């Protein structure tokens, strides 16, 4: 019985390892473990549906299942027995399917692309090493998730004179956090398809400022949220993120009412960073609270805000958390926004091998066409007020850019995000000095782990944790700072 348990366990881990290698160019890793423990049920459902409709993964399932069935059919000393007749029929069918797919692959690529990829990437040493790291860090992650809420509350003790300056007069400070958005597929950043008409127009009118060179500190949501709304960055990462002051509590101390509006799931297996941080808001609202699959479009955030705007005060700090471009991309926009077709996609810089790949890219491009409309609707909510709105994505996606696969990846494509600031006409009139500061920062290299370091001084709030050379709007900003993402990857060296 013990022998069977060990073998089955290793088979499951082996499949996960091969799946990660094929799709993300990496074996099981501690980063993957972190992502799993921060993942919500609807994300897992969407993830499985998305990846297991791809031809490479269908091949993987057939090959791996065939190996497992053959193993148990041959080995007689295992409790799990497989009928040899069934095994023979299954293996024959599998062989036919694989032969057909192999011939198709060879005709298309003049080589056996998938088999070669496995041979190049599979490494048993990496598998054992990364598995041991995962086992060790799993305990750490669970312990952290059990303590972060109490730690966030404890941060508020002994805060005498924490805020050194509080001269802010801005009525509304808003942050819109997108999901899985890569600037490389947005027209406003030079992509050839016109999928950002509203933001393009606002930029021409002088109300929207677009930053050229911004990246995220991680390639998955939970890791990003451990830095973007507090003072945690890679230089002080020895201090747990939940033991550092966060924007929501700072803004409350500064006299703002704080709000959280989310179109992502509130509930997950272990809890996650976004949910923990949202508890620090005066008011937090979700478009749905269930732990099931959600197909809610981001437009539902608008009536959610309208329904609860009676809670607004004279000064408000508001966060909108979008579903954005989360996989599966086709579920992130209504059919009326399916503007671009697979035939519209330029494949020159993409690793496209199947026609179905073009459909995936088209869906991704259309998700930005929809997000552009949502951003415009949120901007219009505050059009006639003294408001500044920041929009950026948590992280990006590598969509057939480095290889024939899609998803969260710790490479440059996986962290190259859009970063924009929208200001109303009233804001421009009331704060010309801030417009000047924003314009001076548009081409500076930046990573969003120092977003809090930059936001607060811009709105005239300074704390004991603020450092001038981390403030992108300051003339003292360090443009030579190394941008280290995913723990140890130097952006300029990739």
């Amino acid at each position: 019985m013990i022998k069977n348990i060990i073998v089955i366990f290793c088979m499951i881990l082996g499949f996960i390892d091969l799946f990660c290698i094929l799709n993300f160019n990496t074996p099981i890793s501690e980063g993957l473990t972190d992502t799993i423990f921060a993942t919500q049920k609807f994300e897992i459902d969407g993830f499985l549906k998305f990846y297991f409709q791809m031809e490479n993964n269908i091949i993987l399932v057939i090959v791996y299942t065939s190996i497992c069935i053959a193993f148990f059919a041959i080995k007689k000393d295992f409790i799990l027995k497989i009928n040899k007749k069934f095994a023979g029929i299954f293996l024959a069918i599998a062989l036919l399917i694989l032969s057909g797919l192999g011939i198709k692959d060879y005709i298309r690529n003049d080589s056996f692309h998938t088999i070669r990829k496995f041979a190049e990437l599979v490494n048993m040493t990496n598998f054992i090493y990364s598995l041991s790291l995962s086992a060790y860090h799993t305990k750490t992650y669970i312990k952290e998730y059990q303590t972060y809420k109490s730690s966030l509350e404890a941060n508020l003790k002994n805060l005498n004179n924490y805020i050194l300056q509080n001269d802010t007069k801005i009525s509304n400070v808003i942050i819109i956090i997108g999901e899985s958005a890569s600037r490389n597929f947005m027209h406003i950043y030079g992509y050839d398809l016109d999928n950002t008409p509203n933001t393009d127009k606002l930029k021409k009118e002088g109300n929207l400022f677009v930053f050229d060179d911004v990246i995220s500190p991680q390639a998955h949501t939970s890791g990003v949220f451990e830095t973007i709304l507090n003072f945690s960055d890679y230089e002080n990462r020895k201090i747990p993120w939940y033991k550092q002051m966060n924007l929501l509590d700072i803004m409350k101390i500064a006299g703002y009412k704080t709000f959280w509006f989310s179109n992502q799931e509130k509930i997950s297996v272990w809890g996650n960073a976004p949910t923990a941080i949202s508890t620090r808001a005066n008011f937090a609202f979700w478009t749905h609270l269930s732990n099931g699959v959600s197909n809610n479009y981001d437009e539902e955030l608008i009536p959610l805000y309208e329904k609860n705007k009676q809670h607004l005060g004279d000064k408000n700090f508001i966060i909108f958390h979008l579903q954005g471009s989360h996989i599966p991309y086709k579920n992130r926009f209504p059919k009326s926004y399916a503007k671009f077709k697979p035939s519209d996609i330029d494949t020159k810089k993409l690793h496209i091998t199947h026609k179905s790949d073009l459909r995936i890219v088209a869906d991704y491009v259309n998700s930005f066409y929809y997000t552009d409309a949502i951003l415009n609707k949120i901007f219009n909510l505050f059009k006639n007020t003294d408001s500044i709105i920041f929009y950026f994505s948590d992280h990006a996606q590598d969509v057939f850019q480095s290889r024939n696969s899609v998803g969260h990846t710790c490479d440059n494509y996986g962290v190259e995000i859009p970063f924009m600031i929208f200001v109303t006409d009233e804001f421009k009139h009331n704060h010309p000095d801030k417009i000047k500061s924003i314009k001076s920062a548009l081409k500076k290299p930046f990573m969003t782990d120092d977003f809090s370091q930059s936001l607060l001084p811009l709105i005239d709030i300074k704390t004991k944790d603020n450092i001038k050379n981390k403030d992108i709007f300051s003339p003292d900003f360090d443009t030579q700072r190394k941008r280290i993402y995913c723990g140890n990857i130097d952006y300029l060296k990739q």
Side-chain angles (χ1 to χ4, degrees):
M1 179 64 72
I2 293 172
K3 185 166 61 173
N4 276 276
I5 291 171
I6 292 171
V7 169
I8 294 170
F9 179 68
C10 289
M11 283 181 167
I12 293 170
L13 288 178
F15 178 81
I16 295 172
D17 201 53
L18 291 174
F19 177 84
C20 292
I21 289 169
L22 183 62
N23 290 280
F24 310 121
N25 203 33
T26 180
I28 295 174
S29 65
E30 53 183 304
L32 175 64
T33 305
D34 187 21
T35 302
I36 290 170
F37 278 98
T39 296
Q40 300 151 353
K41 185 180 176 183
F42 88 102
E43 292 181 301
I44 295 173
D45 184 85
F47 177 91
L48 294 175
K49 287 181 179 178
F50 180 81
Y51 279 100
F52 285 101
Q53 67 182 0
M54 298 174 70
E55 192 170 297
N56 287 342
N57 292 319
I58 295 173
I59 294 173
L60 172 61
V61 171
I62 293 172
V63 170
Y64 202 80
T65 305
S66 299
I67 292 171
C68 293
I69 287 177
F71 176 82
F72 283 113
I74 294 169
K75 296 290 291 180
K76 296 180 179 180
D77 57 339
F78 280 81
I79 295 172
L80 182 61
K81 296 179 180 179
I82 300 291
N83 182 279
K84 288 189 176 181
K85 184 176 181 182
F86 164 78
I89 295 172
F90 180 89
L91 293 173
I93 294 172
L95 182 63
L96 285 173
I97 294 173
L98 288 173
S99 298
L101 291 173
I103 294 169
K104 185 180 177 183
D105 191 31
Y106 186 84
I107 293 171
R108 204 163 38 204
N109 300 296
D110 196 28
S111 67
F112 294 104
H113 173 78
T114 304
I115 296 173
R116 188 180 72 251
K117 189 172 182 179
F118 274 126
E120 290 173 353
L121 294 175
V122 174
N123 185 311
M124 185 56 67
T125 304
N126 282 347
F127 170 70
I128 295 170
Y129 174 72
S130 58
L131 178 60
S132 63
L133 277 178
S134 297
Y136 171 77
H137 283 280
T138 294
K139 294 182 180 179
T140 304
Y141 296 137
I142 295 174
K143 184 178 180 180
E144 286 184 357
Y145 285 133
Q146 290 172 340
T147 61
Y148 57 36
K149 288 185 180 180
S150 58
S151 295
L152 286 169
E153 180 68 32
N155 291 341
L156 297 177
K157 297 177 181 178
N158 302 318
L159 282 179
N160 295 332
N161 302 317
Y162 176 75
I163 293 183
L164 305 177
Q165 175 189 340
N166 182 13
D167 298 327
T168 182
K169 297 180 176 63
I170 303 169
S171 299
N172 300 300
V173 178
I174 300 106
I175 302 173
I176 305 172
I177 303 174
E179 170 69 53
S180 302
S182 167
R183 65 172 184 254
N184 298 308
F185 290 86
M186 302 174 75
H187 184 265
I188 199 166
Y189 277 97
Y191 189 64
D192 56 353
L193 296 179
D194 185 17
N195 61 348
T196 57
N198 294 294
T199 46
D200 285 336
K201 181 182 177 183
L202 289 169
K203 181 182 178 182
K204 289 180 181 177
E205 293 172 348
N207 291 92
L208 185 73
F209 301 93
V210 180
F211 290 69
D212 292 344
D213 187 9
V214 178
I215 67 169
S216 62
Q218 293 284 346
H220 61 279
T221 300
S222 187
V224 170
F225 270 88
E226 292 175 6
T227 64
I228 58 173
L229 298 177
N230 54 43
F231 286 104
S232 179
D233 57 25
Y234 74 81
E235 286 95 347
N236 67 6
R237 58 188 169 189
K238 289 184 179 180
I239 304 173
W241 65 271
Y242 47 82
K243 291 187 177 180
Q244 304 196 46
M245 276 299 289
N246 66 87
L247 277 179
L248 286 156
D249 281 321
I250 292 170
M251 294 300 281
K252 279 193 284 187
I253 296 170
Y256 279 79
K257 276 193 173 183
T258 56
F259 297 82
W260 185 281
F261 295 95
S262 178
N263 190 34
Q264 296 220 10
E265 290 287 315
K266 180 180 180 181
I267 304 165
S268 66
V269 176
W270 302 105
N272 52 33
T275 301
I277 296 167
S278 71
T279 63
R280 308 310 308 153
N282 293 123
F283 301 92
F285 306 100
W286 284 263
T287 57
H288 52 279
L289 296 175
S290 69
N291 196 28
V293 177
S294 169
N295 289 320
N296 289 20
Y297 298 126
D298 284 330
E299 62 195 55
E300 294 193 25
L301 286 167
I302 309 303
L304 184 68
Y305 169 82
E306 294 284 4
K307 180 182 176 181
N308 295 285
K309 68 180 181 180
Q310 74 270 17
H311 299 296
L312 294 176
D314 294 331
K315 292 196 295 186
N316 306 287
F317 179 64
I318 304 167
I319 295 176
F320 291 95
H321 191 191
L322 308 182
Q323 192 79 262
S325 301
H326 198 293
I327 58 171
Y329 309 134
K330 65 181 180 180
N331 290 351
R332 301 299 156 238
F333 55 89
K335 290 182 180 179
S336 58
Y337 283 86
K339 178 179 180 180
F340 303 102
K341 302 177 178 61
S343 58
D344 297 322
I345 304 302
D346 184 355
T347 63
K348 288 179 183 177
K349 297 181 180 179
L350 302 178
H351 294 75
I352 300 294
T353 59
H354 313 305
K355 288 183 179 179
S356 59
D357 297 344
L358 292 174
R359 177 73 268 169
I360 293 171
V361 181
D363 289 337
Y364 193 55
V365 171
N366 284 325
S367 73
F368 295 124
Y369 183 51
Y370 179 64
T371 295
D372 178 75
I374 299 304
L375 291 177
N376 195 52
K377 289 180 180 180
I378 296 176
F379 295 159
N380 284 332
L381 293 174
F382 304 93
K383 187 174 182 179
N384 298 317
T385 64
D386 179 24
S387 300
I388 181 170
I389 304 178
F390 299 81
Y391 164 71
F392 57 91
S393 182
D394 55 357
H395 54 80
Q397 295 265 280
D398 184 338
V399 182
F400 301 113
Q401 291 164 282
S402 64
R403 62 198 184 286
N404 178 237
S405 189
V406 178
H408 301 63
T409 55
C410 278
D411 60 22
N412 284 6
Y413 295 120
V415 296
E416 291 176 341
I417 59 172
F419 188 99
M420 310 173 193
I421 297 178
F422 170 81
V423 294
T424 61
D425 290 334
E426 187 173 337
F427 182 94
K428 291 171 68 176
H429 178 267
N430 294 341
H431 313 283
D433 57 324
K434 302 191 187 309
I435 299 300
K436 185 178 179 181
S437 296
I438 292 170
K439 287 181 177 179
S440 71
L442 297 179
K443 296 188 179 298
K444 293 179 182 178
F446 187 62
M447 187 161 69
T448 53
D449 61 343
D450 279 339
F451 176 67
S452 297
Q453 294 279 7
S454 303
L455 167 68
L456 291 171
L458 182 66
I459 62 174
D460 298 316
I461 298 175
K462 293 182 182 177
T463 74
K464 290 181 178 180
D465 289 316
N466 281 105
I467 302 172
K468 281 188 176 181
N469 65 11
K470 292 178 177 289
D471 172 11
I472 191 175
F473 305 110
S474 169
D476 299 318
F477 177 69
D478 181 11
T479 57
Q480 301 303 312
R481 180 203 184 206
K482 288 185 178 181
R483 288 184 286 176
I484 307 297
Y485 65 87
C486 290
N488 59 5
I489 302 175
D490 189 334
Y491 180 71
L492 291 182
K493 292 184 179 180
Q494 293 300 303

